[in-house]
Amino acid sequence: MSTWETILTIIGLGAITVITRSFFLFPDKEVPIPAWLREGLRYAPLAAMAAVVVPELLITQGELIHTWRDARVFGALAGALYFWWRRGMLGTIVVGTAVMLALRFVLGW
């Protein structure tokens, strides 16, 4: 693929993204949504996050982890405990990453 084809592809994909999302972002009036759907959509970000994070924590090379000595699990647990305690997103990321890296580099997990 040449450079111009790559640039045109990126511009085309960007245009398609803007057009398809603008249908939801710029309507003239509010789109009526049933209460049950609105209630269910409240949990969509959490479900999406869990669907991404949990397999990364518990699966290695297509199989469930077989040992409790996995730095990722303890990093996630430390991050979750920090978030429960302080409710800070940056602190959660820093604490979870620090615990994971400490276990990985110091203990070799």
Side-chain angles (χ1 to χ4, degrees):
M1 184 180 278
S2 70
T3 303
W4 283 107
E5 289 174 336
T6 303
I7 292 171
L8 286 175
T9 302
I10 291 170
I11 291 171
L13 290 173
I16 290 171
T17 300
V18 168
I19 291 169
T20 56
R21 292 187 181 198
S22 66
F23 291 123
F24 299 104
L25 294 177
F26 305 113
D28 290 339
K29 59 182 179 180
E30 185 174 329
V31 177
I33 298 175
W36 61 268
L37 182 58
R38 184 173 292 143
E39 183 68 18
L41 288 175
R42 286 183 46 209
Y43 300 103
L46 179 62
M49 182 65 81
V52 171
V53 171
V54 170
E56 287 295 322
L57 286 175
L58 301 178
I59 295 176
T60 299
Q61 297 179 352
E63 295 183 10
L64 282 174
I65 57 174
H66 299 290
T67 179
W68 58 272
R69 296 170 65 180
D70 193 317
R72 297 174 302 171
V73 174
F74 285 96
L77 184 62
L81 289 174
Y82 181 85
F83 184 79
W84 178 71
W85 178 47
R86 301 293 294 199
R87 300 282 181 193
M89 190 58 70
L90 180 61
T92 301
I93 294 170
V94 169
V95 167
T97 302
V99 168
M100 185 189 76
L101 291 177
L103 291 173
R104 184 161 289 174
F105 292 124
V106 174
L107 298 178
W109 288 6

